């Protein structure tokens, strides 16, 4: 409110020496982290990372990266701002979305809004094309929350 400018400008320089001017409007919104990448390079890096191991192993590696809040070369990571959805006594919210050349990973927060304990199973969270699922704490007491990680194929994979 005390800042007078309507926009903040800055310059970004690439490794090859190109300079870009970026202008951001000043608004009262939550902070956002922004990554700028070249999608063609990112897709190649993701394909390289994914092709180092069989698809199932790559899915497990992606879950490990998501669980440790790590970035993966070539993956586009989007922090979700989706509103939680109620499914019975459970409140489910997408937290982050990881997209690579062959795999898509989702980080989901699950909260028990009911009065009884709930035990989550991988099949409860896994659509048909799911390759791997991991639930941090599958036993949810009333009022408790957990995080789940779901990895699926996002098209042609070229893996064995």
């Amino acid at each position: 409110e005390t800042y007078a400018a309507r926009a903040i400008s800055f310059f970004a320089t690439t490794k090859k020496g190109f300079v870009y001017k970026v202008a951001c409007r000043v608004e009262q919104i939550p902070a956002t982290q922004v990554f700028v990448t070249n999608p063609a390079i990112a897709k190649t890096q993701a394909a390289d990372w994914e092709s180092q191991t069989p698809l199932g192993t790559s899915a497990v590696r992606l879950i490990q990266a998501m669980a440790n809040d790590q970035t993966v070369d070539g993956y586009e990571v989007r922090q979700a701002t989706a509103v939680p959805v109620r499914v019975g006594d459970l409140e489910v919210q997408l937290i982050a979305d990881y997209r690579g050349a062959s795999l898509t990973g989702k980080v989901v927060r699950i909260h028990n809004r009911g009065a009884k304990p709930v035990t989550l199973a991988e099949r409860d969270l896994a659509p048909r094309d799911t390759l791997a699922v991991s639930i941090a704490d599958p036993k949810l007491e009333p009022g408790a929350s957990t995080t789940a990680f779901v990895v699926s194929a996002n098209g042609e994979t070229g893996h064995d």
Side-chain angles (χ1 to χ4, degrees):
E1 293 178 6
T2 60
Y3 192 74
R6 293 181 188 260
I8 297 173
S9 297
F10 61 93
F11 294 90
T13 305
T14 67
K15 290 180 182 177
K16 290 189 176 185
F18 295 101
V19 178
Y20 296 91
K21 181 180 178 182
V22 180
C24 300
R25 286 183 292 147
V26 177
E27 295 180 11
Q28 288 186 339
I29 58 172
T32 302
Q33 188 173 14
V34 177
F35 295 98
V36 180
T37 61
N38 180 329
I41 294 171
K43 190 170 184 178
T44 301
Q45 289 174 331
D48 290 346
W49 186 83
E50 293 166 352
S51 67
Q52 292 174 7
T53 56
L55 189 58
T57 305
S58 293
V60 171
R61 289 175 59 204
L62 180 55
I63 283 181
Q64 290 170 338
M66 292 187 303
N68 291 307
D69 201 23
Q70 296 173 337
T71 59
V72 179
D73 285 345
Y75 271 69
E76 180 182 348
V77 180
R78 292 184 183 178
Q79 301 298 321
T81 57
V83 176
V85 175
R86 250 340 243 273
V87 180
D89 287 337
L90 298 177
E91 184 177 86
V92 181
Q93 183 177 20
L94 178 65
I95 301 297
D97 188 42
Y98 285 65
R99 292 207 175 265
S102 301
L103 300 175
T104 297
K106 296 189 182 306
V107 181
V108 180
R109 181 183 166 275
I110 303 164
H111 185 79
N112 183 359
R113 294 277 182 205
K116 297 178 183 176
V118 174
T119 300
L120 299 170
E122 285 82 3
R123 69 181 175 276
D124 297 332
L125 302 173
R128 184 178 305 240
D129 62 344
T130 299
L131 298 170
V133 176
S134 178
I135 303 170
D137 186 3
K139 295 181 181 179
L140 283 179
E141 294 297 322
S145 296
T146 191
T147 305
F149 309 94
V150 181
V151 176
S152 58
N154 63 4
E156 294 300 316
T157 61
H159 285 294
D160 296 331

